[in-house]
Amino acid sequence: MGGVTAASLAPILLVLGDEELLATRAVTEAVAQSRSVDPEVDVREYQAGSLTVGEIAEMLSPSLFGGRRLLILRSGQDARKDLAAALLAYAKNPDPEVQLVVLHLGAAKGKAFADGLKAAGATVVPAARLRGHRERVAFVRDEFRRAGGRCTDAAAEALIAAVGNDLRELAAACSQLMADTDGKISPEMVARYYRGRVEVSGFTVADATMVGDVPAALEALRWALHVGVDPVPIADALADGVRTVARVASAGRGSPYQLASTLGMPAWKIERAQRQSRGWTPEGLVQAMRAAAECNAAVKGGSDDRAYALERAVVSVAAARQGGGR
């Protein structure tokens, strides 16, 4: 960051996308860069939906006392038309002493505002959710690269199999591996590191099972057992996966944030369960609960072949999704 100067700071940053980790990082980086130019920078945060034109005009007008200002406008897609118009007018001739950071989910809502900021020359920082497996592999490799490490595709694949798809969890895992190793990450190192990290592998198996991806679920299960993960927490994770989808499905429609307090679980878990609940019927969930309960009884009751009990449960739960009550 040594090369950052006032002239090199973009007057308007548009952080575009719905991946919270990437958006948070973009804001943290903008604040750090502003502070490296002026340690006394005045940083202020606002919600676009509750801001008036008068307030924004006051914040963007030249300060009597001088000094840099950094204005962070969250949920830019919620800006009312008059506010969006005022900001677009400002964007054509921004104050060099002010940096405006607008966060926008990047969907259809408020699209004209985001497009207008782009047209006015805003610097766009992509923060869209990573949709595909290849993108997540690239994200993991880039995490290690940013921290001065190296990671093969196969090692990134092994880490995703161990940790799951949540970017925050993946970023934390990369950071931990960098701290505990020499930074050259191989699949064997990932397998060694996650041996016995039960809650991680169990939920990977459960996630794949709940969306009916039997090959991925069985592969994750065999990998987890191969590296020495105890079968009991895997059975627990499978039961928890079924229970969570059943609870979220019965709670009806609603945003994850609205349902979080009602259901007493984090919004990210609700959002994942909402995605997983597609394709399930109430009858199917009852069948899946029965299969998960039988698996729990076998695994905790000292069954002779606990691996087989888990494999059978994966197949039975996925089959309940396909055929339950249809």
Side-chain angles (χ1 to χ4, degrees), residues 162-301:
V163 175
N165 291 334
D166 184 83
L167 280 208
R168 282 187 182 281
E169 290 175 17
L170 281 171
C174 294
S175 171
Q176 196 65 53
L177 273 166
M178 279 300 294
D180 294 349
T181 66
D182 64 357
K184 297 183 186 73
I185 312 299
S186 66
E188 294 73 26
M189 187 180 289
V190 172
R192 263 201 317 278
Y193 194 81
Y194 280 95
R195 181 174 289 128
R197 297 201 171 214
V198 288
E199 74 287 354
V200 168
S201 299
F203 287 117
T204 308
V205 175
D207 285 352
T209 305
M210 292 310 292
V211 294
D213 190 346
V214 176
L218 291 176
E219 186 186 343
L221 172 62
R222 285 163 192 159
W223 184 85
L225 294 171
H226 171 69
V227 298
V229 173
D230 189 310
V232 170
I234 301 178
D236 283 339
L238 193 56
D240 181 69
V242 178
R243 262 197 316 272
T244 302
V245 167
R247 282 184 67 200
V248 169
S250 66
R253 291 181 178 275
S255 84
Y257 297 98
Q258 287 167 335
L259 294 173
S261 54
T262 319
L263 295 175
M265 62 176 82
W268 64 263
K269 194 172 183 180
I270 293 171
E271 186 184 17
R272 187 171 66 185
Q274 283 176 333
R275 283 201 303 272
Q276 291 174 347
S277 67
R278 291 175 200 137
W280 280 98
T281 62
E283 297 82 3
L285 285 165
V286 170
Q287 284 178 28
M289 281 183 183
R290 199 174 297 127
E294 284 169 10
C295 172
N296 251 302
V299 168
K300 292 174 184 174

Side-chain angles (χ1 to χ4, degrees), residues 10-16 23-24 26-31 34 43-46 48 60 69-76 87 90 98-104 113 117 122-123 125:
I12 299 174
L13 274 186
L14 174 62
V15 181
L16 201 56
T24 302
V27 172
T28 305
E29 218 158 277
V31 172
S34 261
V43 180
R44 302 183 191 184
E45 284 198 33
Y46 303 91
L60 293 170
R69 271 172 297 161
L70 175 62
L71 306 179
I72 300 162
L73 196 61
R74 295 192 177 274
S75 305
L87 286 166
Y90 166 80
V98 177
Q99 189 176 30
L100 175 65
V101 179
V102 178
L103 287 91
H104 190 294
F113 178 37
L117 287 173
T123 300
V125 181

Side-chain angles (χ1 to χ4, degrees), residues 64-89:
L64 292 174
F65 306 105
R68 289 196 66 78
R69 271 172 297 161
L70 175 62
L71 306 179
I72 300 162
L73 196 61
R74 295 192 177 274
S75 305
Q77 70 282 350
D78 295 338
R80 291 190 298 272
K81 279 187 179 170
D82 56 348
L83 178 68
L87 286 166
L88 292 176

